Amino acid sequence: MAVDYAVIVLYLAGMLAMGWWGMRRATSKSDFLVAGRRLGPAMYSGTMAAIVLGGASTIGGVGLGYQYGLSGAWMVFTIGLGLLALSVFFSARIARLKVYTVSEMLDLRYGGSAGLISGVVMWAYTLMLAVTSTLAYATIFDVLFGLDRTLSILLGGAIVVAYSTLGGMWSITLTDMVQFVVKTIGVLLLLLPIAVIKAGGFAEMKAQLPDDYFAPLGIGGQTVFTYVLIYSFGMLIGQDIWQRVFTARNDKVARLGGTAAGTYCLVYALAGAVIGTAAKVLYPHLGSPDDAFATIVKDALPVGVRGLVLAAALSAVMSTSSGALIACATVANNDIWARLRPASRRTGHDEVAGNRAFILLMGVLVMAIAISLNDVVSALTVAYNLLVGGLLVPILGGLLWKRGTGAGALASVAAGGVTVVALMFSLGVLANEPIYYGLIASLLAYVVVSLLTKPTDAAVLEAWRARLAGRSDPTPHLTGV
């Protein structure tokens, strides 16, 4: 595997080189956190697709295809649907706000009353998302080099932390574009057709496997519904996703580029399920469905191509990990620490250096948690349950319902978050009920408390409408969202 190793090493070296190059461009807070809000359609759609399609979408998507057949595409498919909904219905308005975090949006909408608690919830989500991506390094580096799990986490994590810390969003954008190209070539153009051919074609696959493997809802209707609640809605409100929306040059780029990325996700979802189905024909008795990706790559692909496809898997993990890491650091610094530090230290400091320090700090924390944690699925479920259960209602309510108030938003975050955590503790992390009842509690609290409290100040709403319209200052003639 010398040639495969060489491909991987060159790829990792290239990631670090791009981090160094990005450092020269990240000279302001806007450059460092949102790439100067200057990305055009090609760069925007490529990096957006890269961040949403991580290790869970690649290795996990193939594993679901191995276990359930074509219906295993639903997890990644719902991610694509969520990204399409975000891009078509909300991205233009989000891009025009010119903020850096979701909590800043909530402060604008509700008059500064919801930012800190929402920041804590968003920080917990982005932290666990970064942990799950980092855990995936252990699997990939074990396949590549047979490395110890802890060493694998430290090696992969150190590379991501290094290029993210150096150049911030510019470095991450550049590396994500490379990762998008590598993923497209490795998974869609190479592994997909080779896997189908090795399995004897679709006719042979259908003859070898039960009919359920080709049923649209073979994975189960309730499972699909839960995926929609967690992943589709999660795409609408996650800091890691919004921070990419903030990088768009204008609202047209955000809408069209995001739509292209969402469509790409739908294709990627089906490709992963087909690869997993082919793997089931070739290797019917694997110990774990998640072994399907690595097994088919090692056994079915020629030298060199195998290295490129493994680099594609590594790309998927690194793009999600770096996106989650900068989101986690941005929230920790700008939404939590900025509100808690003494007033005397809030001016005159180097914002780029401060955000760079927080990326390094959060990176070390993420690697430490990943080393002590074993269950990737549980960590990811906790992350999305907290995000959707706690923040979906106040965020979408703020965008869609002008009667919503700051008190209602706070009550919604508290009710949804507490319900989700309590039910995960009592029923189990992987149970469906926490997200169902968490959303119901969050919605009821938001509506009831908003109606029982004084409407949001007219000046706050006027300033909010002005920002949604792309104006920095409210003017009297602005009357609607």
Side-chain angles (χ1 to χ4, degrees):
M1 292 185 64
V3 175
D4 297 324
Y5 291 160
V7 171
I8 299 297
V9 171
L10 285 173
Y11 168 77
L12 294 175
M15 296 299 99
L16 292 173
M18 288 188 179
W20 182 262
W21 187 88
M23 181 176 66
R24 302 175 62 183
R25 300 199 64 171
T27 58
S28 67
K29 178 180 179 180
S30 177
D31 286 330
F32 193 82
L33 294 182
V34 291
R37 306 186 196 273
R38 296 202 297 269
L39 297 192
M43 289 280 280
Y44 179 85
S45 58
T47 57
M48 182 64 87
I51 188 176
V52 300
L53 296 173
S57 299
T58 303
I59 299 171
V62 172
L64 287 171
Y66 182 89
Q67 189 172 3
Y68 298 106
L70 298 187
S71 67
W74 272 109
M75 184 186 77
V76 184
F77 204 81
T78 56
I79 290 173
L81 292 177
L83 185 53
L84 284 171
L86 173 71
S87 302
V88 172
F89 299 112
F90 300 108
S91 63
R93 285 185 282 178
I94 292 171
R96 289 196 293 265
L97 289 174
K98 303 296 184 187
V99 295
Y100 291 99
T101 68
V102 175
S103 294
E104 286 181 46
M105 167 264 170
L106 292 172
D107 275 350
L108 279 172
R109 170 60 181 82
Y110 296 113
S113 60
L116 181 58
I117 186 172
S118 65
V120 172
V121 175
M122 189 64 76
W123 175 78
Y125 156 73
T126 53
L127 179 71
M128 295 308 294
L129 186 63
V131 167
T132 60
S133 301
T134 304
L135 281 168
Y137 296 133
T139 300
I140 296 174
F141 279 103
D142 177 56
V143 172
L144 292 175
F145 308 117
L147 295 179
D148 172 75
R149 176 180 178 277
T150 298
L151 184 59
S152 297
I153 290 171
L154 293 175
L155 174 61
I159 293 170
V160 170
V161 171
Y163 73 69
S164 301
T165 302
L166 286 172
M169 188 60 83
W170 268 122
S171 294
I172 292 170
T173 297
L174 294 170
T175 54
D176 277 359
M177 276 306 298
V178 174
Q179 290 159 355
F180 171 74
V181 172
V182 171
K183 252 190 302 201
T184 300
I185 295 173
V187 176
L188 296 184
L189 301 184
L190 293 176
L191 183 57
L192 174 61
I194 291 173
V196 173
I197 292 169
K198 290 280 186 180
F202 285 103
E204 182 63 21
M205 290 163 59
K206 198 161 186 179
Q208 292 284 337
L209 297 172
D211 290 342
D212 286 351
Y213 267 72
F214 302 91
L217 294 177
I219 198 170
Q222 186 181 28
T223 299
V224 174
F225 180 66
T226 303
Y227 284 162
V228 170
L229 287 182
I230 294 177
Y231 298 116
S232 295
F233 286 138
M235 289 295 106
L236 298 180
I237 59 173
Q239 169 68 25
D240 51 324
I241 310 302
W242 278 41
Q243 199 157 342
R244 293 310 173 96
V245 176
F246 300 149
T247 66
R249 181 188 303 154
N250 52 48
D251 53 9
K252 184 177 180 181
V253 169
R255 184 185 297 111
L256 297 181
T259 300
T263 304
Y264 178 90
C265 291
L266 303 183
V267 175
Y268 200 88
L270 185 58
V274 171
I275 292 167
T277 305
K280 183 66 175 179
V281 173
L282 295 169
Y283 319 102
H285 304 297
L286 292 179
S288 167
D290 285 342
D291 293 337
F293 180 87
T295 303
I296 198 168
V297 168
K298 288 177 68 175
D299 292 351
L301 300 184
V303 173
V305 174
R306 182 170 52 205
L308 182 61
V309 174
L310 287 172
L314 193 58
S315 296
V317 174
M318 295 181 89
S319 57
T320 302
S321 181
S322 58
L325 179 60
I326 193 172
C328 180
T330 301
V331 171
N333 187 25
N334 295 274
D335 290 336
I336 300 176
W337 173 239
R339 300 168 192 269
L340 298 178
R341 67 173 176 243
S344 60
R345 299 178 61 185
R346 294 179 186 176
T347 58
H349 65 284
D350 186 337
E351 291 186 311
V352 173
N355 282 292
R356 186 172 278 135
F358 264 87
I359 289 180
L360 181 59
L361 179 63
M362 292 300 106
V364 172
L365 178 61
V366 164
M367 286 188 283
I369 295 174
I371 289 171
S372 63
L373 197 65
N374 288 313
D375 194 338
V376 180
V377 175
S378 293
L380 189 64
T381 302
V382 169
Y384 274 96
N385 279 352
L386 285 173
L387 174 71
V388 176
L391 292 180
L392 177 69
V393 170
I395 291 172
L396 293 189
L399 289 169
L400 300 173
W401 190 43
K402 59 185 178 182
R403 183 61 180 84
T405 67
L410 286 172
S412 178
V413 173
V418 169
T419 302
V420 163
V421 171
L423 290 178
M424 283 194 297
F425 182 78
S426 61
L427 300 177
V429 168
L430 300 180
N432 291 324
E433 288 81 2
I435 191 62
Y436 297 165
Y437 292 112
L439 277 173
I440 292 171
S442 181
L443 179 61
L444 288 175
Y446 183 69
V447 172
V448 171
V449 175
S450 291
L451 292 175
L452 292 177
T453 53
K454 183 180 177 181
T456 304
D457 186 84
V460 171
L461 285 178
E462 193 68 14
W464 166 252
R465 294 187 185 105
R467 290 290 285 270
L468 281 177
R471 302 172 62 93
S472 58
D473 298 308
T475 54
H477 64 273
L478 292 174
T479 58
V481 174

